[in-house]
Amino acid sequence: MMTFLPSYVKGAWWTPVEDPDAAVVRDASTGDEVVRVSTKGLDLAGAVAFARREGQRSLGALTFHQRAMVLKNLAIALNERREELYALSMRSGSTRRDSLSDIDGGIGVLFTFSSKARRELPAGTVVLDGPVEPLSKDGSFLGRHVYTRLPGVAVQINAFNFPMWGSLEKFAPAFLAGLPTIVKPATPTAYIAEAWVRMVVETGLLPEGALQLVSGSVPGLFDLLDLGDTVGFTGSASTAERLRAQAKPGVRFTSETDSINASILGPDAVPGTPEFDAYVKQLLVELTTKAGQKCTAIRRAIVPAGTTDAVAAALREKIAERVVVGDPRVEGVTMGPLVSREQRDEVLRQVAVLQDAGGRFVVGSAEAPDARVAEGALSAEGAFLEPMLLAFADATTPAVNDIEAFGPVASIVEYTDVAEAATIVGRGGGSLVTSVATHDPGVATELLTRMGAMNGRVLFLDRDDARTSTGHGAPVPHLVHGGPGRAGGGEELGGIRSVLHSMQRTAIQGSPRMLTALTGVWHPGAETDTAGRHPFRKPLSDLRIGDAVESAEREVTLDDIEVFANFTGDTFYAHMDEESAAANPFFPGRVAHGYLLVSWAAGLFVDPAPGPVLANSGLENLRFVTPVSPGDRIRVALTAKQITPRETDEYGEVRWDAVIHNQDDEIVAQYDVLTLVAKTWQPAEVLV
């Protein structure tokens, strides 16, 4: 009986009744059938409509921080079931080490985005971009940029090599942005995507319509997409161009495609140096992890003239020590097969092209390796290859810079100087990543200057970071993933940047009152409330944007300045030497310390008794505007600017707008004060 892989659409699991033309997915090591994949009869239009209706409604009801907590709890749930996913991934050829990149990496993306969102995004649903722009002399008309939620659906089309990480690194930022997702995994590993989606659905944590899974082809899907929808694609450059042509003008299309990534051995990284050893180790990792089936894998090793033999010999030695090709379920295997025999055959076709272009094997061969398989199994049934390195005498050979054998294959070419090394990198037409092994900052600086524009990421590897480096082929959620030109021209990950990719940036204009209402952040000129209790007596449950305190004045004397100078040790001449201070173009004579004024301001606005304000957690954006001379008087206005409750704590952060004025109503200093404030507070006098 045929087993079909289910899809998850419209809030339920769906399986085709039958399809004689369904794709057959086989075990990468044994050739046994795993599952059949088809979407015959699937209601794609209904899935898109469900996302727009139910997904938009459920996600729109949540703040950024609430969405972030869902991601965290999903990560915890998946983390508890990693072993199931490890075992399943072995059927695709992944070793346990390979699964660290895909399974643990995907879970790590959820944890990272959850944490960054709660630290870096507001507690609401609108993100501010940049400062306020005054558009009138009297401050009654302002402008600024904001990001708001898109009204559509995010369609995510993923490659076969990372069925979990590749999906989650797109899903997490879209989810935070409030955009429901339809995941379309690549067929050869769709059963792994189905497994993690099923685990997520079983938690009951997903908002309705926030995530759907289509296991199989999606004919006609692009006809259903329009303005407000997005497509994120990972795969070949040719497929990306074909899909991009199908997308309507209003659909945002982002692609991350195969690229001829490079790794440069610096001229100082000679054999015997830590940099040479790190380079060879990294090359080994990139050839063997996922059997070289990574969009970020090294495809071109670029080394100083005369060092090809030394690099190849060191790599052969490492392979002999560490690499055992075979079925990942067999003990001792360190490198699994390619995802399918079809993929293996495609890689061998590309290797033949490289050979015809002049490449000669200096490591490995195209022959079937002696793979370690389970007792009674035939290695010929598996998609096994060994690591291969082909040397080229001419670095300008077109095939070196154009042909990607998407497996355990790399070319090695030589350069004469650093400028030529950078030129070789550029011949790849744009890359996701280039790594450089050098301990020479001068070499690193020249290479970045010459080739930075050709890369989405550049890793500098040396003795100081070799042990802690995440590696050439490992994108991290904190930094951008993508690249120019052949690499797709798109950008994923990069922390909160990727959340904003799934939102719309809009310039808004209006009065301070209106911008305060639109953004949830108080703007100078909007209403303030100084009546009633001091704001420091209010817990978050009572505190409101615009609650303020305006202090009395305090005169600054020469004695005050000298006491502060002697007490702190800050006897800078502008505070202690009248003649020198007067000669300074910025001061009329001796002036008060800026930090004296900030300290006094705290004394003027604070309510000192125990209360809901638990701690001062920082001070930001401090600017000193007008000097204060002996005899001047200062006062301070403190206004609740932004309130951010923490989802997991009994307190939150309040950002206060602080402005110090002098007796002439000139601004002396302005800054933001950050405090941690309890959500609720029971005054001590009523405690029993």
Side-chain angles (χ1 to χ4, degrees), residues 554-579 581 589-597 600 628-631:
R554 179 171 179 177
E555 184 176 346
V556 179
T557 69
L558 192 60
D559 284 345
D560 294 325
I561 296 172
E562 292 183 346
V563 167
F564 189 85
N566 292 322
F567 183 75
T568 61
D570 181 359
T571 56
F572 185 64
Y573 73 87
H575 313 303
M576 304 300 289
D577 184 332
E578 179 68 28
E579 182 178 350
R590 294 176 67 178
V591 295
H593 305 70
Y595 295 113
L596 165 62
L597 304 175
W600 275 17
V628 172
S629 303

Side-chain angles (χ1 to χ4, degrees), residues 575-619:
H575 313 303
M576 304 300 289
D577 184 332
E578 179 68 28
E579 182 178 350
S580 297
N584 186 301
F586 301 111
F587 304 125
R590 294 176 67 178
V591 295
H593 305 70
Y595 295 113
L596 165 62
L597 304 175
V598 171
S599 300
W600 275 17
L604 290 170
F605 68 62
V606 76
D607 185 306
V613 176
L614 307 176
N616 181 332
S617 61
L619 185 151

Side-chain angles (χ1 to χ4, degrees), residues 245-266:
Q246 296 178 29
K248 296 176 184 176
V251 177
R252 298 186 186 182
F253 187 96
T254 301
S255 64
E256 181 262 292
T257 59
D258 51 15
S259 62
I260 314 299
N261 307 300
S263 185
I264 300 173
L265 182 66

Side-chain angles (χ1 to χ4, degrees), residues 234-238 256-261 295 404 406 430 432 486-488:
T234 299
S236 70
S238 58
E256 181 262 292
T257 59
D258 51 15
S259 62
I260 314 299
N261 307 300
C295 57
E404 180 181 36
F406 200 72
L432 295 172
R486 175 171 177 155

Side-chain angles (χ1 to χ4, degrees), residues 27 45 52 86 127 134 136 138 275 296 306-307 314 333-334 340 430 439 514 522 541 554 649 659 670-671 688:
D27 187 293
R52 289 182 178 143
Y86 291 159
V127 181
S136 65
D138 64 357
E275 288 70 36
T296 53
T307 61
V333 168
T334 60
S340 67
H439 196 53
M514 190 59 70
W522 182 83
S541 56
R554 179 171 179 177
D649 297 301
V659 182
Q670 51 191 5
Y671 50 98
V688 178

